[in-house]
Every structure is written in structure tokens, then in C-alpha cells.
Amino acid sequence: MAKNFQKTGMAAKFTYRGQTDLLKNYMTNSKIKLTSYDRQIIEARTDGFSFCEMSQDEMTWSIDQILVRGVAIYGCTVPDSDFLAGFFNEEFTRFIVEFGYSEFTLQEILFAMQLNCQPDVSYPSGNHVEPIPFSGVYFNVAFLAKILNQYKHLRAGVERKIQNYLDGY
């Protein structure tokens, strides 16, 4: 396993049975049955740093990106005042950091939002992933939570495929 991690975020690393490696090292291995979406998940994980590794300014900028892109992807409304936008930013940041998504990168969250628009996504079990329909006026935490929960299972599926390969399956 490679050990050159100096400028790599934690999401780009994979640890299994006490060994740590870069996820990118498994992307082209034909023995691991990675789908196109699996490879995109790895790419998103290796692009940038996790939220827990970001400064407050970087988190604020990243949340702004999520909000603006959420509007572009789902056609919802942008908060119409700086006051309201500030609350949105605080709540999205709190949700990501405190509810199990702090190890995600900005690119992962954006990819999860895009992936939610695809009709042909399946879990590793083969079950179809149902897109989450947008509800509400503004892009909101409840909506993002549903999307990230589904994505978290897809992300774990990629790791399971690599683990199975390392275990000889």
C-alpha cells in the first residue's frame, strides 16, 4: 500500500485491517467491479478536504456552493435576504459537521446532489436507488439529509468492494 499522504484529505484515504492506502490506487483495478458511479464517488472523495479539515471560512464558502448549486440543480429558491442566508449557512454547517457527514468533501456533496437526479443508480445489492423529490421552497437541510443518507450507503458500498477484493473475494 502506498504511503504518500502529505497533501491528501482524509476522505481520499482508505483504511482496512490496519493498513491505509489511497482510494485512487484501486480505481483502475479490473478485478474490483467498480461501476462508473463508483469511480465518480472515489474521484469526489479525492477532490479536496473533508469538512472536518476545513477552516470556518472554507466551510462557509463550501456551504454557499452547496446552496447555490442546489438551487441550480433542483430549481428551488435562494434565501432572499442576507439575514436568512446566514441562518441557512449555519444550519447546513451544523448538520454536516454534527450529524455524520463531516468526513465528506464538498465535491462529494455536490456529486450526491447530481446523482440524486439520475434514474439508473443502484445500491451494491442491486436494489434501485429512488431519487429524492425536492419539497419545500428553499433548498433545505431535510432534503439534503435524505440525499446524503442515500449517498452514504453508496459510498460504503465502494469501500466494501475494495475490502472484498483485499480479502480475496
Side-chain angles (χ1 to χ4, degrees):
M1 291 188 170
K3 300 292 182 211
N4 187 10
F5 306 133
Q6 293 171 346
K7 294 185 180 181
T8 304
M10 68 181 285
K13 299 171 191 167
F14 174 74
T15 301
Y16 184 61
R17 297 188 186 254
Q19 298 288 323
T20 300
D21 200 359
L22 297 174
L23 282 168
K24 279 196 170 206
N25 292 338
Y26 300 98
M27 281 185 61
T28 57
N29 188 324
S30 62
K31 294 179 182 176
I32 305 172
K33 303 297 183 206
L34 296 175
T35 67
S36 170
Y37 292 135
D38 292 340
R39 286 184 187 86
Q40 288 176 287
I41 288 170
I42 292 172
E43 286 289 337
R45 285 182 68 168
T46 59
D47 187 358
F49 291 91
S50 300
F51 272 80
C52 63
E53 299 171 300
M54 294 180 186
S55 69
Q56 187 61 47
D57 287 344
E58 290 168 329
M59 273 196 265
T60 298
W61 183 86
S62 295
I63 296 297
D64 287 345
Q65 291 293 306
I66 292 168
L67 290 169
V68 170
R69 291 173 191 256
V71 169
I73 293 169
Y74 297 105
C76 47
T77 305
V78 179
D80 51 6
S81 72
D82 288 343
F83 178 74
L84 188 55
F87 280 108
F88 271 66
N89 198 299
E90 283 179 31
E91 290 303 319
F92 275 88
T93 299
R94 183 174 293 123
F95 168 72
I96 290 169
V97 171
E98 295 178 11
F99 289 92
Y101 304 100
S102 64
E103 75 278 4
F104 286 19
T105 66
L106 169 61
Q107 292 308 315
E108 280 190 277
I109 293 173
L110 298 178
F111 179 64
M113 291 162 43
Q114 294 164 342
L115 197 59
N116 185 55
C117 299
Q118 295 299 106
D120 62 341
V121 180
S122 295
Y123 292 112
S125 65
N127 292 335
H128 178 69
V129 176
E130 287 295 325
I132 307 295
F134 176 74
S135 61
V137 176
Y138 300 118
F139 189 73
N140 57 71
V141 171
F143 178 58
L144 183 63
K146 293 174 186 172
I147 292 170
L148 292 183
N149 187 51
Q150 282 188 339
Y151 175 79
K152 194 174 205 175
H153 292 287
L154 294 170
R155 186 185 203 257
V158 172
E159 290 187 1
R160 271 193 305 280
K161 287 180 181 183
I162 295 169
Q163 289 170 349
N164 287 342
Y165 164 74
L166 292 173
D167 287 339
Y169 298 114

